[in-house]
Amino acid sequence: MSLHEFEVIARYFSQTFPHRADVIFGVGDDAALCVAPNGMQLAIAIDTLVAGVHFPPETDPKDIGYKALAVNLSDMAAMGATPAWMTLALTCPPDTHENWLAHFSYGLRELAECYQVSLIGGDTTTGPLTITIQITGFVPAQMALHRHGAQPGDGIYVTGTLGDAGLGLASIQQQLHLPVLARHQVESRLNRPTPRLREGQALREIASSAIDISDGLVADLGHILAASQVGASIYLNQLPLSTILREQLSLEAAWQLALSAGDDYELCFTVPQHQESALSKALVTGSYTRIGMIETLPGLRCVNASGQPFIPKSKGYQHSFNLNPDDPDN
Amino acid sequence: MSLHEFEVIARYFSQTFPHRADVIFGVGDDAALCVAPNGMQLAIAIDTLVAGVHFPPETDPKDIGYKALAVNLSDMAAMGATPAWMTLALTCPPDTHENWLAHFSYGLRELAECYQVSLIGGDTTTGPLTITIQITGFVPAQMALHRHGAQPGDGIYVTGTLGDAGLGLASIQQQLHLPVLARHQVESRLNRPTPRLREGQALREIASSAIDISDGLVADLGHILAASQVGASIYLNQLPLSTILREQLSLEAAWQLALSAGDDYELCFTVPQHQESALSKALVTGSYTRIGMIETLPGLRCVNASGQPFIPKSKGYQHSFNLNPDDPDN
């Protein structure tokens, strides 16, 4: 028995996702038709997960579906946008189990239902397992969060705790052995990140810049610094670390993960001093932490509890393309 | 030397694509920000090309870039939409030449410039070569073309000629040997399909249904028949065949390709009798051909010159997912 592309779409990706009134025509034609609300700008992002690169191929397909959407919702959060519509390009090997598709679709739908995101279209192809989701959301005109607005004197903040997804990855890769409960918690941080949509929307008139932490704090804060043409200091003893991270690792190892491990999908944002009281009203206490300060001096300085500089071993994850040395054009 | 993801984006995908006034913020943040024009619906589609499935890995990267956008523009054409913004998810192996990226980007830009499509964002990852483009276009409210409007008595039409891309594929796969000029022409039909955007837009108030021919005429017309709950007859002696196809193949072999080979990216559409004069005013003579008729009787009948039924050997391309027989859940 084999399932054809159109049966796959009909069975797993057509009827069961949230319906929205602004979707005039969803799955089942050459393109979807949607209506954007008046006065809103469209925020559009696309993100790919590749088996063996972004997740081990044996990952629970429910988690793969969940995360493929979560990383896109996290981009919406970093812009202060409200997600609305997604398209899915799913490439999977010809021997893919129907069961795998059912579970993948379940995980994707689970998160889509939380935020009322419609699956409006897609493309299903055979090939190495790769999932690309493109998301469109709305943000009131002139109110989107950007990377480029940080000013010297602004405080640097992050939501949640940092490094847990990195510990989850280390656990899955069997680099360390955790108690069962701790293992479940950190692997869940890796596989089912929480997009900080509520926080991103609440920060719209408060933060001077924002980004989501997908490649690690140092790498992603680095994008804010580059786009804003400023520098910063981070105070390591202020980094928000989970109880598990503190119990399982030395303080220095915990900092390394908090600074450099990707996949936390927390927000990093900056707030001018005069907006600090607005910040405390907008976000619930405990859901965010001040970790440093934007400065005029270029570069990022990590400072430990005794005021000494600390150099993280890794600066975060980047995909690299090696140029072939025997290529005469290079 | 290696090129990091962000350098790749900066060097090949940031500055050199058409700029549009409705793009408030393009490449370089967590999401792009765009403004939709008043009174327009958004048409949104996504399509993936996988190396080894949709094209041989050794295909000229300029052609890969061109085609990756062309197949998406073809979806816009089939909806009667005007394309505006694209996002690109490019997954390529870590040993990808910078030269390859330069050529890929060149081919993509070439077509983007023809239709003033902005590249507003993307994701660059390492993994098996896979290109996903998502496109957003505009169509006036209530005027999009659909698959579901065909009625018995409507004429069935196609643009251009059919089967050339299939002959191009046969040539590349060395299933037959063509004279140099013919080979270049049909391989160009395969690698650089012309999206029928002008035709799609001109058909908006004329055609009762439309689709683009990506998987073959029988397969794609089949989607119109299924969505419209009608049947049809196609008259094989009316199929538009190029001179090359007629010269290189027997009539029967030419029909097989015209009916079943994919990748032509012509439009197939239906027109009610009372709209036929409007059709001849809207489209240039010779750019389209009437090939059959929508009927009440379900199913698709191919009829040869002497009125006999003709059964195509293949019904067109579909991606199949084999269900593993040892999976207890199936």
Side-chain angles (χ1 to χ4, degrees):
Chain A
M1 183 185 166
S2 78
L3 263 192
H4 285 302
E5 161 180 17
F6 307 114
E7 295 167 298
V8 165
I9 294 167
R11 196 172 300 181
Y12 298 112
F13 300 113
S14 287
Q15 301 302 335
T16 52
F17 280 78
H19 178 74
R20 295 175 58 97
D22 53 16
V23 179
I24 309 302
F25 200 98
V27 173
D29 213 311
D30 291 288
L33 294 175
C34 302
V35 177
N38 282 336
M40 289 285 188
Q41 291 179 347
L42 298 168
I44 301 178
I46 191 165
D47 259 316
T48 298
L49 301 184
V50 182
V53 178
H54 298 90
F55 58 87
E58 62 275 15
T59 304
D60 183 336
K62 288 203 290 293
D63 289 342
I64 299 172
Y66 191 100
K67 186 166 182 176
L69 178 54
V71 301
N72 278 281
L73 295 183
S74 182
D75 282 327
M76 293 291 102
M79 299 298 288
T82 305
W85 317 313
M86 66 166 149
T87 53
L88 165 70
L90 174 63
T91 302
C92 46
D95 62 354
T96 299
H97 291 194
E98 189 174 353
N99 208 23
W100 190 97
L101 290 167
H103 284 154
F104 172 84
S105 154
Y106 183 92
L108 182 65
R109 200 169 60 241
E110 217 184 318
L111 189 58
E113 280 173 356
C114 281
Y115 296 102
Q116 288 299 296
V117 175
S118 272
L119 177 63
I120 59 169
D123 190 18
T124 315
T125 52
T126 47
L129 181 58
T130 309
I131 304 115
T132 297
I133 287 182
Q134 183 274 351
I135 188 117
T136 303
F138 313 134
V139 60
Q142 318 300 336
M143 280 175 65
L145 299 171
H146 284 285
R147 298 176 178 183
H148 57 65
Q151 296 282 340
D154 291 357
I156 303 170
Y157 295 81
V158 293
T159 57
T161 57
L162 300 181
D164 299 306
L167 188 62
L169 182 62
S171 163
I172 283 173
Q173 292 176 336
Q174 305 194 314
Q175 292 171 18
L176 85 177
H177 204 77
L178 298 176
V180 175
L181 193 62
R183 181 161 62 79
H184 283 170
Q185 282 191 322
V186 293
E187 291 184 6
S188 170
R189 283 295 307 268
L190 176 69
N191 290 327
R192 299 195 155 226
T194 303
R196 297 299 186 183
L197 284 158
R198 199 181 53 72
E199 290 83 352
Q201 290 158 25
L203 288 169
R204 281 200 295 239
E205 289 181 283
I206 295 167
S208 53
S209 74
I211 195 169
D212 67 324
I213 304 175
S214 54
D215 296 327
L217 174 64
V218 169
D220 290 313
L221 175 56
H223 294 311
I224 286 185
L225 302 185
S228 305
Q229 298 184 283
V230 292
S233 287
I234 289 177
Y235 307 108
L236 300 183
N237 60 343
Q238 294 178 19
L239 288 178
L241 305 175
S242 68
T243 310
I244 295 175
L245 209 69
R246 279 183 281 120
E247 283 176 357
Q248 298 297 328
L249 299 179
S250 72
L251 190 58
E252 186 165 321
W255 285 346
Q256 293 287 2
L257 283 186
L259 290 171
S260 313
D263 281 316
D264 280 323
Y265 293 98
E266 297 294 347
L267 295 183
C268 173
F269 57 97
T270 59
V271 175
Q273 212 167 355
H274 72 271
Q275 291 283 26
E276 280 178 11
S277 63
L279 172 64
S280 65
K281 281 179 203 142
L283 295 191
V284 179
T285 313
S287 70
Y288 67 101
T289 309
R290 185 182 174 117
I291 61 163
M293 169 100 76
I294 295 294
E295 294 164 344
T296 310
L297 183 69
L300 176 61
R301 293 156 288 282
C302 300
V303 181
N304 71 12
S306 51
Q308 300 300 308
F310 177 89
I311 311 293
K313 281 184 198 156
S314 153
K315 286 188 174 167
Y317 189 76
Q318 272 210 359
H319 295 273
S320 293
F321 303 92
N322 297 313
L323 304 186
N324 194 321
D326 62 12
D327 181 346
D329 292 87
N330 291 317
Chain B
M1 185 184 168
S2 77
L3 265 190
H4 285 304
E5 165 179 14
F6 306 115
E7 294 167 295
V8 167
I9 295 167
R11 196 173 298 181
Y12 298 111
F13 301 113
S14 286
Q15 300 302 330
T16 53
F17 280 77
H19 177 76
R20 295 175 58 98
D22 53 16
V23 179
I24 309 302
F25 200 99
V27 173
D29 213 311
D30 292 289
L33 294 175
C34 302
V35 176
N38 283 336
M40 290 284 187
Q41 290 179 348
L42 299 168
I44 301 178
I46 192 164
D47 259 316
T48 297
L49 300 184
V50 182
V53 178
H54 299 89
F55 58 87
E58 61 276 15
T59 304
D60 183 338
K62 287 202 289 294
D63 289 342
I64 300 172
Y66 192 101
K67 186 165 181 176
L69 178 54
V71 302
N72 278 281
L73 295 183
S74 183
D75 282 327
M76 293 291 100
M79 300 297 289
T82 305
W85 316 313
M86 67 168 148
T87 53
L88 165 70
L90 174 63
T91 302
C92 46
D95 62 353
T96 299
H97 291 194
E98 188 176 352
N99 209 23
W100 190 98
L101 290 166
H103 285 154
F104 172 84
S105 153
Y106 183 92
L108 181 65
R109 200 170 59 240
E110 219 183 319
L111 189 58
E113 279 173 359
C114 282
Y115 297 102
Q116 289 298 300
V117 175
S118 273
L119 176 64
I120 58 168
D123 189 18
T124 315
T125 50
T126 47
L129 182 58
T130 309
I131 303 115
T132 297
I133 288 181
Q134 182 275 350
I135 189 119
T136 303
F138 312 134
V139 62
Q142 318 299 335
M143 282 176 62
L145 300 171
H146 284 285
R147 299 176 176 181
H148 57 66
Q151 295 283 340
D154 291 357
I156 303 171
Y157 296 82
V158 291
T159 57
T161 58
L162 300 181
D164 299 305
L167 189 60
L169 182 63
S171 165
I172 282 173
Q173 292 176 337
Q174 305 192 314
Q175 293 172 19
L176 86 176
H177 204 77
L178 297 176
V180 174
L181 194 62
R183 181 162 61 80
H184 283 170
Q185 283 191 323
V186 293
E187 291 184 7
S188 171
R189 285 291 311 268
L190 176 69
N191 290 326
R192 296 190 157 231
T194 302
R196 298 299 186 185
L197 282 159
R198 199 183 50 76
E199 291 82 351
Q201 290 158 26
L203 289 169
R204 280 200 295 239
E205 289 181 282
I206 295 168
S208 54
S209 72
I211 194 168
D212 67 325
I213 304 175
S214 55
D215 296 328
L217 175 64
V218 169
D220 289 314
L221 175 56
H223 294 311
I224 286 184
L225 303 185
S228 305
Q229 298 183 281
V230 292
S233 287
I234 288 177
Y235 308 108
L236 300 183
N237 60 343
Q238 295 176 19
L239 288 178
L241 305 175
S242 67
T243 310
I244 295 175
L245 208 71
R246 277 183 281 122
E247 283 176 358
Q248 298 297 328
L249 299 179
S250 71
L251 190 59
E252 186 165 320
W255 286 346
Q256 294 286 2
L257 281 187
L259 290 171
S260 312
D263 280 317
D264 282 323
Y265 293 98
E266 297 295 346
L267 294 183
C268 174
F269 57 97
T270 60
V271 174
Q273 214 168 353
H274 71 271
Q275 292 283 25
E276 280 178 12
S277 63
L279 172 64
S280 64
K281 283 180 201 142
L283 293 192
V284 179
T285 314
S287 71
Y288 67 100
T289 310
R290 185 183 173 115
I291 62 165
M293 171 98 79
I294 295 294
E295 295 165 345
T296 310
L297 183 68
L300 175 61
R301 293 155 288 284
C302 301
V303 181
N304 70 13
S306 52
Q308 300 302 307
F310 177 89
I311 311 290
K313 282 184 195 155
S314 156
K315 288 189 175 167
Y317 189 77
Q318 271 210 2
H319 295 272
S320 293
F321 304 92
N322 297 313
L323 305 185
N324 193 322
D326 63 11
D327 180 345
D329 293 86
N330 291 317

